[in-house]
Amino acid sequence: MLKQGSALDRYFKITERGSNLSREIRGGFATFFAMSYIVVLNPLILSGADSNGTTLGFTAVAAVTAFVAGILTILMGAWAKHPFALATGLGVNAFVAVTVSTNPGLTWPDMMGLVVLSGVTMLILVLTGFRTAVFKAVPDGLKTAIVVGIGLFIALIGLVNAGFVRRIPDVAGTTVPVGLGFDGKLLGWPTAVFVFGLILTIGLVVRKVKGAILIGIITSTVISVILEMTLHIGPSFDGKTANPQGWSLVAPTFSGWAAPDLSLIGKANPFGAFEHLGFVAATLLAFVILLSIFFDAMGTMVGLANEAGTVDENGNIPDVDRVLQVDALGAIVGGGASVSSNQIFVEAGAGIGEGARTGFASIITGLLFLVAMFFTPLINLVPFEAVAPALVVVGFMMVSQVGKIDWQDWGIAIPAFLTFTLMPFTYSIANGLGAGFIAFVLIRTFQGRIKEIHPLMWAVAAAFLLFFAVGPIEAALGM
């Protein structure tokens, strides 16, 4: 039982933020369950061979992914004191994997070295106050749109991870990118688990039951384990054959103890890409990584802080510099450990939805990642379908703020609309932010209200124009 006014309470401001120890612990567990899939997914994404035919190794990537996530999340909790958790960012790791496979002569250490350099640049921007200044230059209406966009993004992640929504192959020339279930039908026990979990979680949240989200995850997990043990459903893809009615990625199973392989730490080569690709090509790649981690984290931070209620009356986030410092370190440490840039995860919203309001919850999440590095039943036991309902419900909570946008002011309304629609539609927070920022600058200019545009918004909009033009620039340079 937490004693009000104790050293722990004062340090994390648990009572001050309207929370208590049990909420923080439940929130820490909920966040871990919601994002633990990255320990399995990251090795799959980074599984390809580089130009030398070298692979990073599945077990090594899994162990280091959990280790780095654990250390950085604990640091976020202890230093920045927010309920945010970090792990390998899905956007950057996919970009890294694709780039390694398509650029002759580029090795894994070379590409991870560019991630480190991007992180160092980011840390410099944070320490000079530039990144914080950009955050403060964003209009309130766009900050609200970021919250709404991340809510939609979280909900889509949940629906897709559960197999409730699936991408439709373009073989038939269809113009519909996604559809309901498989071939327009909901199939399989895993989908049934998701539907059950969603109904249960919504019911518990509506009834204001303490621990609603965590209860939903645990109950759905227990049902998933029973179904897998009795019916042997298996994963949706086992590396060779597809099973539309299988579990999305993790088929719930018990795993034993294994000594973690941390041999990838320190293998990055910061200047290798410049040697193999040349200065211009390597700089362009580093720029894309830098912009992605710069704005992904800022958008996620704004959305989660608003949901946690830690934003003050002036729209500022307490200790925002510390949050951004840890996030910048995430790129440096993640790249240096060869598991790609680590960043704040939107799935931390599951813990916030459970009641987490302070960094103590992040310490719980981080410790669970460190435990998972040695003993992984919690990773392989919880399928996406059991966690997805929490993401959908938290998505609803965040989207509910859409009413705060001034829809009569088109200079805010149109950029806000572009921001929160493109985030889920392009599966990228950075893309939504870029479109919204550029639209804001353009429309305010058209309206003759240039004075309302902060100078930094011009700089950010220009940077995003360059970001979106990387493809044509590469084509023009023959890259």
Side-chain angles (χ1 to χ4, degrees):
M1 188 74 177
L2 178 69
K3 185 179 179 181
Q4 188 172 343
S6 65
L8 183 68
D9 184 37
R10 291 196 309 273
Y11 183 79
F12 288 105
K13 301 179 181 178
I14 296 176
T15 302
E16 182 181 325
R17 292 186 180 177
S19 185
N20 56 51
L21 205 56
S22 61
R23 285 183 186 175
E24 296 300 309
I25 294 173
R26 290 200 308 266
F29 271 87
T31 293
F32 171 73
F33 286 137
M35 59 188 290
S36 60
Y37 68 85
I38 194 62
V39 179
V40 177
L41 187 56
N42 197 37
L44 292 175
I45 293 174
L46 301 179
S47 61
D50 61 17
S51 58
N52 295 332
T54 305
T55 59
L56 294 173
F58 188 94
T59 54
V61 174
V64 178
T65 297
F67 175 72
V68 173
I71 295 299
L72 288 170
T73 300
I74 290 173
L75 181 60
M76 177 65 80
W79 173 245
K81 305 176 188 177
H82 280 278
F84 306 154
L86 290 84
T88 300
L90 287 175
V92 176
N93 67 354
F95 176 74
V96 166
V98 170
T99 306
V100 166
S101 63
T102 56
N103 280 273
L106 200 61
T107 66
W108 282 114
D110 296 340
M111 198 63 215
M112 292 302 177
L114 286 182
V115 176
V116 173
L117 289 179
S118 299
V120 171
T121 306
M122 182 73 64
L123 185 58
I124 293 171
L125 293 175
V126 173
L127 295 177
T128 56
F130 179 80
R131 200 178 182 194
T132 306
V134 169
F135 163 71
K136 292 180 178 178
V138 178
D140 290 341
L142 280 183
K143 287 180 180 176
T144 300
I146 292 170
V147 179
V148 175
I150 291 176
L152 290 171
F153 191 22
I154 287 177
L156 181 61
I157 289 173
L159 292 169
V160 171
N161 285 352
F164 196 87
V165 171
R166 305 191 190 201
R167 183 166 59 87
I168 299 177
D170 291 329
V171 215
T174 176
T175 55
V176 181
V178 293
L180 179 69
F182 184 77
D183 198 20
K185 301 173 184 175
L186 296 176
L187 299 174
W189 285 107
T191 301
V193 168
F194 164 72
V195 173
F196 167 80
L198 183 60
I199 294 172
L200 173 64
T201 305
I202 289 174
L204 293 173
V205 168
V206 169
R207 296 290 298 176
K208 298 183 179 179
V209 175
K210 289 183 178 179
I213 290 177
L214 193 56
I215 291 172
I217 293 174
I218 293 174
T219 305
S220 298
T221 299
V222 170
I223 294 173
S224 301
V225 171
I226 294 172
L227 287 172
E228 180 60 28
M229 290 177 65
T230 55
L231 302 178
H232 307 292
I233 300 165
S236 59
F237 185 68
D238 60 5
K240 296 179 181 179
T241 56
N243 173 19
Q245 299 188 43
W247 303 100
S248 181
L249 176 63
V250 180
T253 52
F254 289 95
S255 299
W257 178 88
D261 178 1
L262 303 179
S263 59
L264 291 175
I265 296 176
K267 294 294 180 66
N269 180 4
F271 303 104
F274 291 90
E275 297 172 9
H276 293 125
L277 301 179
F279 180 80
V280 175
T283 302
L284 267 178
L285 290 177
F287 176 74
V288 172
I289 296 171
L290 176 65
L291 265 191
S292 179
I293 59 180
F294 187 108
F295 289 105
D296 265 10
M298 191 179 81
T300 307
M301 175 186 69
V302 171
L304 295 177
N306 271 275
E307 183 59 25
T310 53
V311 180
D312 65 22
E313 62 277 4
N314 298 316
N316 297 318
I317 298 174
D319 296 316
V320 65
D321 288 338
R322 294 187 177 192
V323 174
L324 296 176
Q325 286 165 16
V326 177
D327 181 69
L329 285 174
I332 299 172
V333 176
S338 298
V339 291
S340 185
S341 174
N342 275 236
Q343 59 195 58
I344 302 171
F345 253 53
V346 293
E347 283 85 350
I352 292 172
E354 190 56 64
R357 295 292 179 269
T358 77
F360 189 80
S362 294
I363 290 178
I364 299 297
T365 301
L367 290 174
L368 288 172
F369 268 115
L370 293 182
V371 170
M373 179 179 65
F374 293 91
F375 192 64
T376 58
L378 290 176
I379 299 294
N380 292 326
L381 195 62
V382 185
F384 278 171
E385 290 80 358
V387 174
L391 301 183
V392 175
V393 171
V394 171
F396 155 74
M397 293 175 180
M398 299 179 76
V399 171
S400 65
Q401 297 193 38
V402 72
K404 295 180 180 178
I405 298 172
D406 183 0
W407 294 102
Q408 303 308 311
D409 180 359
W410 285 16
I412 284 292
I414 294 176
F417 173 75
L418 290 174
T419 298
F420 67 66
T421 53
L422 286 178
M423 280 186 188
F425 289 165
T426 65
Y427 235 68
S428 166
I429 294 172
N431 288 344
L433 288 172
F437 289 176
I438 292 172
F440 172 76
V441 170
L442 288 175
I443 296 174
R444 279 290 187 251
T445 302
F446 296 153
Q447 292 175 323
R449 297 164 63 177
I450 294 181
K451 291 183 179 179
E452 296 180 27
I453 305 173
H454 193 286
L456 284 177
M457 288 298 289
W458 287 100
V460 171
F464 266 117
L465 280 174
L466 185 57
F467 173 71
F468 289 133
V470 163
I473 291 173
E474 289 179 338
L477 295 175
M479 294 164 55

